[in-house]
Amino acid sequence: MAMEKTFNAAEAEPRIYEMWEQAGAFKAGANATRDETFCIMLPPPNVTGHLHVGHAFNHTIMDMLTRWKRMQGYDTLWQPGLDHAGIATQLMVEKDLAETQQPKRTELGREKFLEKVWEWKAAKGGTIEQQARRLGDSMDWSRSAFTMSGAESAPTTEKPGNFHDAVLKVFVEMYNKGLIYRGKRLVNWDPHFETAISDLEVENIEVDGHMWHFKYPLAGGETYEYVEKDEDGNVTLRETRDYISIATTRPETMLGDGAVAVHKDDERYAPIVGKLCEIPVGPKEQRRLIPIITDPYPDMNFGSGAVKITGAHDFNDYEVAKRGGIPMYNLMDTKGAMRADGKPYAEEAAIAQAIANGEQEFDEAMIAAMNMVPEEYRGLDRFEARKRVVADITAEGNAVMVPNPLVGSTHPTEDDGRVGDNPREDEPAMIPFVEAKKIMQPFGDRSKVVIEPMLTDQWFVDTAQIVGPALDAVKEGRTKIMPESGEKVYYHWLENIEPWCISRQLWWGHQIPVWFGPSISNGDLDYQSQKQFCATTEAETLELAKAYYAPDFDVEVSELGEFIQLQSGQREVAVTGIGVHSTALGENSEAGKTYALIARDPDVLDTWFSSGLWPFGTLGWPADDEAMKYFPGDVLVTGQDILFFWVARMMMMSEAIMGQEPFHTVYLHQLVRDAKGEKMSKTKGNVIDPLDMIDAYGADALRFSNAQMAALGGVLKISEDRIKGYRNFGTKLWNAFSFADHYQIAYPGDPARPAATQTLNKWIIGETGKVRETVDAAMEAYRFNDAADALYAFTWGKVCDWYLEFSKPILQGDDAAAKAETDQTLRWVLDQCLILLHPIMPFITEELWQQAGSRAKMLAHADWPTYTASELVDADADREMNWVIDLIDNVRSARAQVHVPAGAKVPLLVTGLDAKGQSAWDNNHVLIQRLARIESLSHVDDFPKGCVTIPMDGGTFGIPLADLIDVGEEIARLEKTMQKLGKELGGLRGRLNNPKFVASAPDEVVAEAKANLALRENEEAQLKAAIARLQEIG
RNA sequence: GGGUGAUUAGCUCAGUUGGUAGAGCGCUUCCUUUACACGGAAGAUGUCGGGAGUUCGAGCCUCUCAUCACCCA
C-alpha cells in the first residue's frame, strides 16, 4: 500500500486522538513502569474561556514534559480542570439572560440565578476542553476538576467532585488559626460589578485629567502672611491670605474631607498648622470646618504643597487619615453615585463638626453610617457631582484665579483672513486655575470603568503570617523559578505583600462560611456588636451558635442576603440591620422564646482563593484519596503575568495547609505576541487563533513552532511563516518514510538496533546517540527550543540529507548482507526519530508509527531510549563519514562556483592522499561519486594547469577543467577563501605568539589552537599552490 | 518615580562556567536527478546599540549613556 503524498492532518488528528482517548492512554499512571510520579497541574482556564495562542503555547510545553515522562515510565498525571471565574462567568450569564429576554439577575434572586449559571455551564462552559484535544494534549480528562464542584448549588447532573469542601475546610482552618479576618479597609471597588476587586485586577492607565485649585477659607476669617521663596531663599511672593490653596483632581471627594495636611517642614503653612479651615462647598450655613495637620505625605514641591485628606476615597489619604485619627467619610454607594441614604445633611454636618472640634466621640461604624453629601448632590453620579461641585465653588469665588493668557492676544486669523487686529475683548481678565494634565487612573480590567477606592467591610487573609514559608521555599531552592529573574520579582512582591482581600460581592462563587449574630452583652442580645460563627456547614454553625447563646437564647438562621438586596445604600447599613428585620423568624420557632438571629455573609470568595488550592484540591483533598500521591506536583507552567495572582498564592496556601511547596519548578513564560511583537487584541485585528493554525497546518506544526520559540525568558512572537515551515518539516519526515516505502524496506515493527558493520550505519547510529543525549539534556534544563532545534537538525540535516542519500547505493546494490543491515538500521533510526519527536509532534509520529506491521505499544507509550553517545559513537566511522561529507560539500561548492553544469560528471584528481584519506575514499567512493557527480579519481603528482583546487585534510583534490573554467574567476574564488582563512590564521597566530596566552589559558585551549593552526596552515599552503598554478596560465 | 528585561544577518530569534558568532524565514543563482518543489544544490549579508573598563582574550563580566518593552507605583 503506497503512502499518501503528505500527512493529512485534518483527517488523521481527530482519529488518532480518539484512539488515544479510547485506549485510556493519558489516564493517570498509564504506561507507568516505575513508582516515581510526575504531575503537572494545568492552570485552570476560565469555564467561559476559549483556547488562545497563550494556552496553545503553554499546553505544548506541559504536554511535551508529560509525554516525555510518560514514555520514560513515570507514573504520570497531567491534571486538567476549569476555574469558575466569578466575575467573568457572572457577567457572561447576565449578558446571556439579557440577550434572551429573561429576567435580570436581581429579579431572579440568588438561588434562581445560580441555577441559571449552572445551566449555562452545562450548555456552554468548558469548550476549551474540546479545543485542547485538538492540540493533542495528553491530560487525564476523566479527572477534570472544577473549582465549584460539590457546591451546595450544584445540580445533580454535574460531575461529582469535592473542590468546594476543600475551599470551605481551608477557610475554616485558616479562620480558626487567625489567618483570616474581617475588617473595614479601603479596597478597589468596581462600581460596574459592584464588588471589591484585587489590586491585581486593576489597570492603571494614564488619561487626560484636570487639576483644580481651590481656596479653603480659614475659620473665622483669620489671615496669615503667605511667603514664597525661590531656591536661594529670596522672597518671590508675599501676601496676606485668608485661605489655604488646595489642588485636587477629584473635587467631588471634597465633601468627605477630614483634614488638610501639609508637610511639617513647609514654612509657608507653619503659621496656620492646627487651625481650622472651611470646605468651600455645600450649604453656606453648614460649612464644615476641618483641621490643618502635618504629615510626611504631602510633597512640598507639588501643587500648593497642601493636600486635602479624604480617607475613604484615596489610598494615600487613607494612610494619612489612619495616622492622624482623621474620620473617613464614605460618600458613594455601590454604583459610584453620591450617597442618598442617611440623615439630612444639616444633621450629619453638625455631628461631623462636633467630631472635628473634638467634642464628640466617634467610632468606625458611626462614621461609616454618616452621609456627608449635601442634599443637592445626593444621588448624582460621581462624575456629574464633580462638575456641579466645581461650578458651585467657582461661582462662589473660591476657585484660585490666574490671569487669562488669552487677554491681549488675538483670535486666530486663518478663519476670517483678518490679520493681527482681532483682539479678544470679550475675555475676562482672570480665570479659574485649572491645569490640564495626565493623571494615572485606575480601571477595572474587566469592567473598564474607573475604580473607586471604597471603605467597606471585607474579608482578608493576613498574608504577612503565611508569606514566610512561601518565600523560604524559593530562597532555599525547594522551588525553582525559571527563568531566574522571576525569583527576584517573586521576592520583591512577597516581601512587600499587602493583606489579601478575599471577599467579593458576587453570587457565583464559594459563599463565605461565616454567620453573623448579635453578641451577648450584659445578659442581652446586642445586635450592634457582631459575633461571628465560622464552620463548613450551617448545621455545625448552629451548634457553635447554640453553644454561645445557651442557655438564655435559642438560635434561628435568617436570610441576610435578602436584606442586602433591599438596601440601596451602603451594605454596612444592611449588616448592622440584623435583628431589625426580625420578621424572618422561621415557622418552627417557639413562642415565648428569645431568638438570636444569625445570618450568613452573602459574599463569596475571590476566585484566586479557590484556585490557590488547585495543587491539592484537584487530587481529592481533603478526602484521603489515592490521587494524593501526586502531591506535591512537579512543574508549574504558566505566564509570568500571573506569578502574583496565582503562583504566589498557591505557594502560600500549600505551605499553610499542607506544609509543603506544591511543585519544585515554576516555568514562567511571557505573553505570546504577534510576529511584530505586539500584543494581540481584537481591536487591532492581529489576533491569531490557534485553531486556525491547526486547520491550516496541523497541530504538530503549531506545537513545533511553540517548542522552538520556547527559549527561557524569551519573547514569544508567533509567526505563521514559521508554523508553515514546521509543517514542511513534518512533510519531510513523512517523506523519509515514503522513501523507505519506495525502496520496499520491510517494516514489521519495533526494529532492534543492529550490530552494524557498515561505516555508514555505525555513523548514523552514533549520531542518534548524540541527539538523544542532547534532547534529554535540553528537556531536563527546560530548554525546549534546544530540543526542537536538535531534532530538526538531526532529522532533516543528518538523516534525510545524508543518511538516506548514502543508503541508496547499498539499497540498490547487490550486497545482500549490507542491504539487510542497512534496512534494519534505517528502520531503527526512523523509529528513533518518531520516538524523540513524539513529545513535540505527537500526531504525525503516531501515524507513522502505526504503519509498521505490529507494535508492542502505541507510540504514546513507547519506551524512551536511554542509550548514550559514548555507547553508540564509533569514532572511526564518525571521522570517516564527516570527511566524506566534507569532501562532497567542497566539491559541490567548487563546482557551483565555477559554473560546472549541475548534471555533468567530472573527473577528480588527488595529490598527496594519505592512508586515512585513501581508505575513506575506498570505503565510500560510490557515495562520493554519486553525490558529488564524480566520474573517476586519478592520483597525480602535480595538478595540470587550470584546475579547481579542493584542499582537504589528508590530501588535495582537484578538478581538471582547463578549458571549461574561467581562470580569473577561480583565482578570485580561492583568494576569497584565503581572505577568510587569513583572518582565522591571524587570530590563531596572534594568540599563540602571545606568551601571556600560552601561559594563562587552559592547556586544552592552547592545544586546540595549535591543532587548528596546523590544519589551517596546511590548507593555506594548498591554496597558495593552487593560486600559483593558475597564475602561470594567466 | 521604582523594578525587571531587552538591543546579535533584511525579518523573527538562539548563543548554558569569557576561547573569537548560529538557526528558521526571506533573498540571489541553478536544478522537474524515480522519498520529498511543503523539495534539492550553491550563495550573499553582522565594527553582536554607543563609549569606557577588567582580561592573554569580551556577544557573554563591570561601569556609563541611548533607545525600547513589560511589571509595580
Side-chain angles (χ1 to χ4, degrees):
Chain A
M1 177 187 70
M3 284 174 68
E4 294 295 324
K5 215 167 150 47
T6 56
F7 175 58
N8 183 349
E11 178 277 321
E13 289 179 357
R15 169 167 52 76
I16 293 167
Y17 200 91
E18 175 74 10
M19 178 202 78
W20 285 328
E21 211 173 345
Q22 287 299 315
F26 308 144
K27 289 219 168 180
N31 198 45
T33 54
R34 42 167 118 182
D35 291 336
E36 299 125 286
T37 58
F38 180 82
C39 174
I40 290 186
M41 293 285 164
L42 176 77
N46 287 355
V47 64
T48 58
H50 291 84
L51 194 80
H52 58 65
V53 285
H55 295 121
F57 177 80
N58 78 27
H59 285 216
T60 301
I61 304 300
M62 287 184 266
D63 199 38
M64 279 174 74
L65 286 167
T66 306
R67 285 180 182 268
W68 177 54
K69 290 288 180 182
R70 187 184 293 115
M71 290 167 85
Q72 289 180 331
Y74 281 79
D75 182 347
T76 308
L77 167 62
W78 184 9
Q79 172 68 48
L82 296 165
D83 189 290
H84 68 275
I87 290 185
T89 310
Q90 185 160 321
L91 176 70
M92 187 75 79
V93 175
E94 289 196 70
K95 231 164 100 181
D96 221 44
L97 292 176
E99 275 167 16
T100 52
Q101 280 86 42
Q102 295 190 66
K104 282 195 256 188
R105 172 174 70 94
T106 44
E107 291 162 10
L108 284 170
R110 187 168 189 140
E111 202 175 317
K112 282 269 184 306
F113 178 72
L114 289 180
E115 277 176 26
K116 292 285 180 191
V117 180
W118 283 108
E119 279 171 26
W120 182 92
K121 190 227 168 207
K124 297 187 187 166
T127 52
I128 194 169
E129 295 200 323
Q130 291 306 323
Q131 297 174 327
R133 285 172 165 87
R134 294 208 53 200
L135 276 172
D137 288 353
S138 67
M139 302 177 205
D140 182 354
W141 295 112
S142 69
R143 296 191 51 84
S144 181
F146 183 48
T147 51
M148 278 290 280
S149 73
E152 300 96 328
S153 58
T156 49
T157 47
E158 270 293 311
K159 185 180 168 190
N162 68 341
F163 208 96
H164 184 64
D165 299 347
V167 173
L168 292 194
K169 184 177 163 73
V170 167
F171 184 97
V172 172
E173 216 166 274
M174 291 179 77
Y175 178 92
N176 288 336
K177 283 185 189 162
L179 301 175
I180 288 178
Y181 61 90
R182 182 175 165 83
K184 194 179 287 297
R185 294 296 139 86
L186 204 57
V187 297
N188 295 296
W189 186 269
D190 187 318
H192 177 76
F193 292 120
E194 299 181 61
T195 176
I197 60 175
S198 136
D199 52 357
L200 293 169
E201 291 162 317
V202 175
E203 289 179 287
N204 288 294
I205 300 173
E206 193 174 66
V207 297
D208 291 319
H210 297 280
M211 179 92 112
W212 286 271
H213 294 255
F214 296 134
K215 297 173 179 174
Y216 279 44
L218 293 184
E222 254 190 88
T223 61
Y224 66 110
E225 187 88 328
Y226 178 82
V227 181
E228 252 176 32
K229 296 176 181 169
D230 65 14
E231 285 169 7
D232 304 322
N234 303 315
V235 174
T236 55
L237 175 71
R238 181 186 293 273
E239 63 180 17
T240 301
R241 285 187 174 178
D242 60 355
Y243 65 90
I244 181 165
S245 173
I246 304 288
T248 180
T249 58
R250 303 201 52 199
E252 73 280 12
T253 64
M254 288 170 64
L255 301 164
D257 286 354
V260 165
V262 297
H263 197 277
K264 69 173 168 39
D265 298 332
D266 199 331
E267 293 174 17
R268 293 172 295 181
Y269 302 113
I272 53 171
V273 167
K275 307 218 157 135
L276 296 173
C277 62
E278 176 191 318
I279 302 174
V281 67
K284 200 75 181 136
E285 318 74 65
Q286 287 112 15
R287 283 287 157 84
R288 282 167 53 212
L289 295 173
I290 52 176
I292 297 166
I293 62 165
T294 60
D295 190 272
Y297 165 62
D299 178 349
M300 288 192 280
N301 301 314
F302 187 78
S304 67
V307 183
K308 64 193 229 21
I309 301 301
T310 321
H313 288 282
D314 181 280
F315 285 95
N316 290 312
D317 292 7
Y318 177 70
E319 294 302 321
V320 176
K322 271 205 300 194
R323 281 195 287 271
I326 307 296
M328 309 184 208
Y329 298 111
N330 202 338
L331 299 170
M332 297 177 203
D333 67 15
T334 56
K335 290 186 168 68
M338 306 310 281
R339 282 172 64 175
D341 63 332
K343 301 189 188 113
Y345 178 71
E347 285 178 41
E348 303 279 33
I351 300 168
Q353 196 56 60
I355 291 171
N357 295 346
E359 298 154 8
Q360 162 104 43
E361 298 274 310
F362 65 96
D363 64 23
E364 211 177 62
M366 171 184 166
I367 296 287
M370 290 173 65
N371 180 356
M372 301 313 301
V373 181
E375 273 74 13
E376 63 253 50
Y377 305 123
R378 288 190 181 190
L380 292 179
D381 178 75
R382 52 192 166 151
F383 300 109
E384 181 59 28
R386 176 180 303 172
K387 286 185 200 157
R388 298 274 290 271
V389 167
V390 170
D392 291 349
I393 295 174
T394 308
E396 201 183 306
N398 278 321
V400 172
M401 305 298 279
V402 290
N404 187 345
L406 293 177
V407 170
S409 70
T410 55
H411 281 289
T413 55
E414 297 90 65
D415 295 341
D416 51 15
R418 289 181 295 169
V419 181
D421 59 352
N422 185 21
R424 292 179 180 255
E425 284 154 357
D426 48 338
E427 289 288 338
M430 300 290 279
I431 53 166
F433 184 24
V434 183
E435 295 173 78
K437 65 182 292 219
K438 299 276 183 196
I439 54 174
M440 290 303 276
Q441 210 161 41
F443 289 86
D445 64 358
R446 290 201 169 274
S447 65
K448 306 297 176 198
V449 301
V450 177
I451 296 304
E452 187 65 40
M454 288 269 250
L455 199 54
T456 55
D457 279 307
Q458 301 289 347
W459 289 96
F460 293 88
V461 169
D462 191 0
T463 40
Q465 284 193 64
I466 58 168
V467 75
L471 265 170
D472 291 344
V474 176
K475 284 188 174 160
E476 291 162 14
R478 294 194 303 278
T479 296
K480 175 129 195 59
I481 299 179
M482 313 196 67
E484 215 176 300
S485 59
E487 298 191 350
K488 283 188 200 168
V489 181
Y490 179 84
Y491 296 147
H492 187 259
W493 193 72
L494 286 187
E495 278 161 5
N496 298 289
I497 196 163
E498 297 284 325
W500 171 15
C501 174
I502 52 170
S503 39
R504 295 290 183 272
Q505 287 63 50
L506 303 173
W507 286 352
W508 176 237
H510 301 280
Q511 192 173 352
I512 290 169
V514 174
W515 283 255
F516 300 106
S519 61
I520 301 175
S521 72
N522 304 324
D524 207 352
L525 296 177
D526 178 3
Y527 278 96
Q528 296 306 310
S529 165
Q530 287 172 9
K531 174 78 187 160
Q532 298 170 0
F533 303 98
C534 175
T536 51
T537 62
E538 189 173 292
E540 282 174 65
T541 309
L542 265 173
E543 291 310 308
L544 289 177
K546 279 177 182 159
Y548 174 75
Y549 293 113
D552 299 331
F553 309 101
D554 214 330
V555 184
E556 184 79 14
V557 175
S558 174
E559 293 290 330
L560 182 57
E562 290 181 12
F563 298 170
I564 292 286
Q565 272 183 54
L566 296 171
Q567 302 290 335
S568 62
Q570 291 304 99
R571 55 186 304 279
E572 282 70 24
V573 176
V575 173
T576 49
I578 301 173
V580 178
H581 299 263
S582 53
T583 51
L585 274 180
E587 289 170 6
N588 299 330
S589 50
E590 292 173 40
K593 269 201 154 184
T594 307
Y595 285 85
L597 285 182
I598 66 170
R600 186 170 185 175
D601 191 312
D603 290 351
V604 299
L605 287 165
D606 177 14
T607 310
W608 297 105
F609 185 91
S610 47
S611 47
L613 315 178
W614 193 247
F616 45 93
T618 49
L619 298 176
W621 189 91
D624 184 17
D625 195 300
E626 203 213 337
M628 278 302 287
K629 72 178 171 187
Y630 294 108
F631 183 88
D634 291 83
V635 186
L636 180 80
V637 180
T638 193
Q640 66 176 190
D641 52 329
I642 59 170
L643 178 62
F644 311 134
F645 269 115
W646 190 46
V647 180
R649 280 160 188 178
M650 279 192 285
M651 292 289 287
M652 290 192 289
M653 299 297 255
S654 276
E655 294 284 0
I657 305 300
M658 309 298 288
Q660 281 187 86
E661 46 285 346
F663 23 71
H664 57 67
T665 300
V666 177
Y667 177 95
L668 298 176
H669 62 82
Q670 298 204 7
L671 192 76
V672 177
R673 301 155 181 285
D674 73 3
K676 289 182 194 139
E678 291 187 39
K679 273 190 190 176
M680 292 188 194
S681 74
K682 279 183 191 157
T683 45
K684 269 192 229 155
N686 62 344
V687 176
I688 295 178
D689 183 340
L691 299 175
D692 289 345
M693 295 298 107
I694 293 174
D695 287 341
Y697 307 110
D700 291 327
L702 175 63
R703 292 171 59 113
F704 204 99
S705 160
N706 286 333
Q708 204 285 332
M709 68 178 175
L712 268 175
V715 179
L716 304 177
K717 296 182 190 175
I718 192 168
S719 137
E720 186 165 349
D721 279 344
R722 244 190 142 101
I723 296 169
K724 195 198 242 173
Y726 293 120
R727 184 270 320 263
N728 295 354
F729 172 67
T731 304
K732 189 73 181 174
L733 177 69
W734 184 265
N735 277 312
F737 279 77
S738 78
F739 173 96
D741 207 42
H742 176 83
Y743 283 92
Q744 298 180 318
I745 299 173
Y747 201 12
D750 298 332
R753 168 162 42 91
T757 58
Q758 301 283 318
T759 309
L760 171 64
N761 292 331
K762 286 189 197 167
W763 167 75
I764 196 64
I765 289 170
E767 290 296 326
T768 311
K770 288 186 202 168
V771 77
R772 192 245 99 204
E773 278 194 26
T774 306
V775 168
D776 275 334
M779 294 286 287
E780 268 150 29
Y782 302 92
R783 307 178 70 95
F784 305 106
N785 56 321
D786 287 348
D789 282 342
L791 284 164
Y792 187 100
F794 173 73
T795 306
W796 198 318
K798 289 276 184 347
V799 176
C800 293
D801 284 352
W802 296 111
Y803 181 69
L804 295 187
E805 290 299 331
F806 285 161
S807 70
K808 282 177 184 173
I810 302 179
L811 295 175
Q812 293 162 338
D814 302 328
D815 186 339
K819 183 174 184 323
E821 180 190 299
T822 304
D823 282 358
Q824 201 184 339
T825 308
L826 194 148
R827 282 302 184 193
W828 178 81
V829 168
L830 289 181
D831 255 18
Q832 302 312 300
C833 289
L834 296 183
I835 294 170
L836 295 173
L837 280 166
H838 184 257
I840 309 183
M841 312 185 98
F843 289 110
I844 191 172
T845 52
E846 184 75 76
E847 178 79 345
L848 290 168
W849 182 263
Q850 303 284 344
Q851 303 230 323
S854 74
R855 289 287 192 186
K857 299 195 274 188
M858 63 180 93
L859 180 56
H861 287 174
D863 295 334
W864 189 263
T866 54
Y867 46 72
T868 62
S870 63
E871 253 175 76
L872 301 192
V873 171
D874 178 315
D876 291 333
D878 205 46
R879 198 178 314 109
E880 191 173 304
M881 291 313 300
N882 284 327
W883 186 87
V884 169
I885 289 170
D886 249 13
L887 179 58
I888 293 170
D889 270 344
N890 287 340
V891 172
R892 280 173 169 177
S893 177
R895 287 173 58 122
Q897 284 181 63
V898 297
H899 311 302
V900 175
K905 289 204 167 187
V906 296
L908 190 63
L909 307 179
V910 67
T911 61
L913 188 62
D914 66 12
K916 271 187 185 160
Q918 184 64 53
S919 111
W921 173 269
D922 292 343
N923 291 339
N924 305 283
H925 69 94
V926 179
L927 309 180
I928 300 169
Q929 286 182 253
R930 182 187 181 111
L931 295 179
R933 303 222 141 224
I934 305 290
E935 196 175 59
S936 60
L937 179 74
S938 319
H939 289 262
V940 293
D941 294 329
D942 293 300
F943 283 148
K945 291 176 180 172
C947 181
V948 174
T949 305
I950 298 152
M952 285 289 296
D953 186 18
T956 308
F957 289 82
I959 307 172
L961 289 168
D963 304 330
L964 293 178
I965 63 165
D966 179 325
V967 174
E969 202 168 28
E970 172 64 357
I971 292 179
R973 181 183 79 90
L974 295 175
E975 276 178 344
K976 190 166 181 195
T977 315
M978 282 284 286
Q979 268 186 359
K980 276 189 195 164
L981 199 62
K983 265 191 188 172
E984 275 187 76
L985 280 167
L988 287 165
R989 288 184 183 133
R991 273 194 281 166
L992 288 165
N993 291 340
N994 182 341
K996 282 185 180 171
F997 170 71
V998 181
S1000 46
D1003 291 344
E1004 69 254 29
V1005 173
V1006 177
E1008 196 190 314
K1010 279 183 179 161
N1012 218 340
L1013 181 64
L1015 265 176
R1016 299 295 168 203
E1017 280 179 334
N1018 176 33
E1019 202 177 321
E1020 187 190 29
Q1022 294 179 37
L1023 285 169
K1024 272 186 180 163
I1027 291 170
R1029 262 196 317 278
L1030 287 167
Q1031 279 166 342
E1032 279 174 41
I1033 314 178

